Amino acid sequence: MAISCSVDRDTPSSIMAISLFALIRTSTPSEMLQQSCSAAQTGLEILRTRLLPSTVIRSACTGTLQLKEPLNFWCGGRVKPSTKDARPSEPVYEPATGRVLCEMFPCGPAEVEQAVQSAQSAFKTWSQMSGMERGRVMLEAARIIREQREEIANMEVINNGKSIFEARIDIDIAWQCIEYYAGIAGTLAGQHVQLPGGSFAYTRREPLGVCVGIGAWNYPFQIAAWKSAPALACGNAMVFKPSPMTPVTAVILAEIYAQAGVPEGLFNVVQGSAETGSLLCLHPGVAKVSFTGSVPTGIKIMEMSAKHVKPVTLELGGKSPLIIFSDCSLENAVNGALMANFLSQGEVCCNGTRVFVQRDILEPFLEEVVKKTRGIKIGDPLQEGTRMGALISKPHLDRVLGFVRQAKQQGATVLCGGEPYVSEDPKLKSGYFMSPCVLSNCTDEMTCVKEEIFGPVMSVLPFDTEEEVLQRANNTTFGLASGVFTRDVSRAHRMAAKLQAGTCFVNTYNASPVEMPFGGYKMSGFGRENGTVTVEYYSQLKTVIMEMGDVESPF
């Protein structure tokens, strides 16, 4: 049975009080009028009801939910598609069933203009608030996410296909990120420098303005939080474009920010594909673009942003090495290899898919990793015991399976998996499932070793010496992540220093604490997300020089 409904948002009085306090505390009457981006002002039909009530999302089962609500969000509410110059809608699929979940209406020039104007209006108020005031509102947003954790995770699973076990972790990382930057917001400060004669200089760290975030489909809600939290903490506004394949949960984040008390239009969501992204990158009112996705798209975003000399943050693809030395804890190394390859159905940009194993432990490693890989439970991603859900789409599933076929043709051995998985559950028959795959007898020249597959495919390669594996590991155009398993502390530090990647995991893999920066070397991008350093990518530094005496002039 399909479920489609819309109810009024139930806003607790305590939250309304906090939101009202934030508004009165920081705004003059004229600024409060500027914050109102009403339907009367814009000619739009703004919906201020929740996308779906909590009870519906919590009770949803795989294959039962159908969304008919608008998925664009600006001016503090969801915006109905314009009938004038409307673009054709695009179907959004539920990966576990292959059925249509909703229709996505892409934004054109008029809608992008409205969203940017909405953000510019909110920026005038938000940028004048103190860091402590901004932080309080962000803490409230983090609290609401914790409160709604289960329904957000359920919606993420339905739209993305990953297991509910992983989705809950993603939502936790999202609120932790917002909470972390809420704490940083009040610490943003400049530097004071004493100059001769009683004069002095100081620096001011100022917001950029309207920032654009362009997300990926593998971590829809988490990426929206990773991009918006530092931007908002620094005093910016944001227009966020999620992937057209996962448009839903970014809207929930927008609703949560609004509920927490941000000015109307501070965080906006525009739906669309390449055209919409291009409009955002080329818009003269946009001050910065942060993108997560493929290298080719990242290059295009750099080119478009360069036309207005906009700073960009690019988190792009990877083909990361995981190096396992013979002195490691074999059990930990096997678990690390599974974490490095099979989280989120292998659809993780920093995955360690080139697994280099020192030759004298190759056989026991393969035996254990194959045994554990065969034990991974595939199935309904909303079921508690499931550990591998569905890939994002049918074309992507076919692409990943094509890599496995090509690997076999090039001489690799499939030790397990690499085939379509057909569930006994009737509702999952058309889902985009495959069995996780381990390839042996791989060589550095094979396509499966050189190109990013973005699926549950592990390529295992033997090596003999530290010097040899270091050279092979760095022989790639990518540089997003790397990993080392060894008990030798000196070796661990040597490898971490010499591996050409933005992150090096030692005796673990795919840990992502929000306190630590994340980003790539080489063609995996530049700029960082998370950690205190990200403040530098969402702010600009102004120098002020104060002369306290007379001006000396040679003229």
Side-chain angles (χ1 to χ4, degrees), residues 138 141-142 145 152 156 169-182 213-216 219-233 238 240-242 249-254 256-257 267 269 290 292 514 529-531 534 538:
M138 292 176 67
I145 293 172
I152 301 170
E156 192 85 322
I169 296 172
D170 294 352
I171 307 311
D172 287 340
I173 292 173
W175 69 253
Q176 288 165 12
C177 180
I178 295 172
E179 190 173 80
Y180 175 74
Y181 283 106
I214 301 178
Y219 289 90
F221 191 85
Q222 181 178 304
I223 289 175
W226 277 19
K227 295 190 184 302
S228 62
L232 270 55
M238 176 163 276
F240 186 81
K241 189 193 84 66
T249 51
V251 184
I252 296 176
L253 180 61
I256 288 170
Y257 277 133
F267 181 79
V269 178
S290 177
T292 298
V514 297
E529 295 184 304
N530 293 341
T534 303
Y538 282 99

Side-chain angles (χ1 to χ4, degrees), residues 338 342 366-376 378 404 408 412-419 434-440 456-458 460:
L338 297 174
F342 299 140
L366 287 173
E367 182 180 345
E368 284 300 309
V369 85
V370 168
K371 182 170 69 174
K372 288 206 168 188
T373 300
R374 284 176 173 155
I376 295 173
I378 313 167
V404 176
K408 290 165 66 176
T413 301
V414 177
L415 297 181
C416 65
E419 299 175 339
M434 71 171 285
S435 53
C437 178
V438 177
L439 300 173
S440 69
V457 181
M458 179 194 303
V460 181

Side-chain angles (χ1 to χ4, degrees), residues 163-467:
S163 71
I164 186 65
F165 170 81
E166 285 192 47
R168 291 189 185 113
I169 296 172
D170 294 352
I171 307 311
D172 287 340
I173 292 173
W175 69 253
Q176 288 165 12
C177 180
I178 295 172
E179 190 173 80
Y180 175 74
Y181 283 106
I184 287 177
T187 71
L188 301 180
Q191 181 184 21
H192 177 277
V193 177
Q194 190 66 45
L195 300 176
S199 298
F200 61 93
Y202 63 92
T203 58
R204 290 171 48 89
R205 188 162 290 283
E206 299 181 346
L208 299 170
V210 176
C211 300
V212 160
I214 301 178
W217 46 257
N218 55 342
Y219 289 90
F221 191 85
Q222 181 178 304
I223 289 175
W226 277 19
K227 295 190 184 302
S228 62
L232 270 55
C234 291
N236 302 290
M238 176 163 276
V239 178
F240 186 81
K241 189 193 84 66
S243 164
M245 289 189 281
T246 52
V248 179
T249 51
V251 184
I252 296 176
L253 180 61
E255 291 180 338
I256 288 170
Y257 277 133
Q259 188 178 351
V262 304
E264 286 185 355
L266 190 72
F267 181 79
N268 309 275
V269 178
V270 296
Q271 305 290 351
S273 299
E275 181 194 0
T276 307
S278 298
L279 291 168
L280 289 168
C281 293
L282 293 168
H283 196 290
V286 168
K288 176 197 169 65
V289 178
S290 177
F291 169 73
T292 298
S294 70
V295 172
T297 304
I299 292 171
K300 292 176 183 176
I301 284 173
M302 281 187 69
E303 292 172 347
M304 289 185 287
S305 299
K307 294 183 185 300
H308 292 98
V309 198
K310 294 172 187 168
V312 295
T313 294
L314 300 177
E315 196 271 278
L316 307 178
K319 192 66 182 178
S320 301
L322 172 58
I323 302 169
I324 299 173
F325 288 95
S326 58
D327 67 341
C328 71
S329 161
L330 186 62
E331 182 180 2
N332 285 339
V334 168
N335 288 336
L338 297 174
M339 292 286 288
N341 282 270
F342 299 140
L343 286 176
S344 294
Q345 301 77 243
E347 298 165 326
V348 183
C349 53
C350 57
N351 268 358
T353 52
R354 292 185 294 148
V355 181
F356 294 94
V357 182
Q358 204 154 24
R359 200 176 301 274
D360 50 355
I361 62 165
L362 179 61
E363 290 307 317
F365 172 83
L366 287 173
E367 182 180 345
E368 284 300 309
V369 85
V370 168
K371 182 170 69 174
K372 288 206 168 188
T373 300
R374 284 176 173 155
I376 295 173
K377 184 177 179 182
I378 313 167
D380 187 339
L382 279 175
Q383 295 298 312
E384 293 293 341
T386 298
R387 288 298 177 266
M388 183 168 289
L391 277 71
I392 189 65
S393 69
K394 182 64 164 62
H396 184 63
L397 171 64
D398 292 341
R399 178 179 179 274
V400 174
L401 293 171
F403 272 107
V404 176
R405 288 193 299 271
Q406 187 179 34
K408 290 165 66 176
Q409 293 166 2
Q410 293 177 349
T413 301
V414 177
L415 297 181
C416 65
E419 299 175 339
Y421 175 85
V422 181
S423 172
E424 295 179 359
D425 187 337
K427 67 176 178 289
L428 305 179
K429 293 290 186 184
S430 298
Y432 315 135
F433 298 92
M434 71 171 285
S435 53
C437 178
V438 177
L439 300 173
S440 69
N441 294 325
C442 296
T443 64
D444 294 358
E445 296 75 27
M446 290 180 177
T447 304
C448 64
V449 175
K450 295 197 301 183
E451 295 186 15
E452 185 176 33
I453 298 175
F454 223 64
V457 181
M458 179 194 303
S459 299
V460 181
L461 305 101
F463 76 93
D464 294 301
T465 68
E466 181 178 321
E467 294 74 17

Side-chain angles (χ1 to χ4, degrees), residues 69-143:
E69 299 295 326
L71 296 174
N72 292 309
F73 190 104
W74 55 84
C75 294
R78 287 179 295 107
V79 183
K80 281 196 171 183
S82 172
T83 54
K84 183 181 179 181
D85 301 324
R87 283 158 171 71
S89 66
E90 299 176 15
V92 177
Y93 297 95
E94 181 180 16
T97 64
R99 59 187 285 276
V100 174
L101 172 66
C102 61
E103 294 288 333
M104 185 275 291
F105 291 86
C107 290
E111 291 88 356
V112 166
E113 180 64 30
Q114 290 161 6
V116 172
Q117 286 185 5
S118 175
Q120 288 173 328
S121 176
F123 171 74
K124 294 176 184 178
T125 300
W126 184 252
S127 61
Q128 294 306 305
M129 294 168 63
S130 73
M132 288 288 286
E133 290 167 330
R134 292 196 298 266
R136 278 197 292 271
V137 178
M138 292 176 67
L139 284 173
E140 176 63 9
R143 186 200 66 79

Side-chain angles (χ1 to χ4, degrees), residues 12-89:
S13 58
S14 60
I15 294 172
M16 290 178 65
I18 290 171
S19 302
L20 184 62
F21 172 79
L23 190 64
I24 295 173
R25 175 82 169 83
T26 61
S27 304
T28 65
S30 61
E31 287 173 331
M32 290 173 67
L33 286 173
Q34 285 178 349
Q35 288 183 45
S36 177
C37 187
S38 67
Q41 290 174 307
T42 63
L44 301 172
E45 186 172 355
I46 308 293
L47 304 177
R48 302 185 190 277
T49 56
R50 286 188 63 176
L51 179 64
L52 281 174
S54 299
T55 52
V56 171
I57 301 177
R58 280 179 178 268
S59 62
C61 299
T62 299
T64 65
L65 197 65
Q66 186 174 9
L67 287 170
K68 295 186 180 298
E69 299 295 326
L71 296 174
N72 292 309
F73 190 104
W74 55 84
C75 294
R78 287 179 295 107
V79 183
K80 281 196 171 183
S82 172
T83 54
K84 183 181 179 181
D85 301 324
R87 283 158 171 71
S89 66

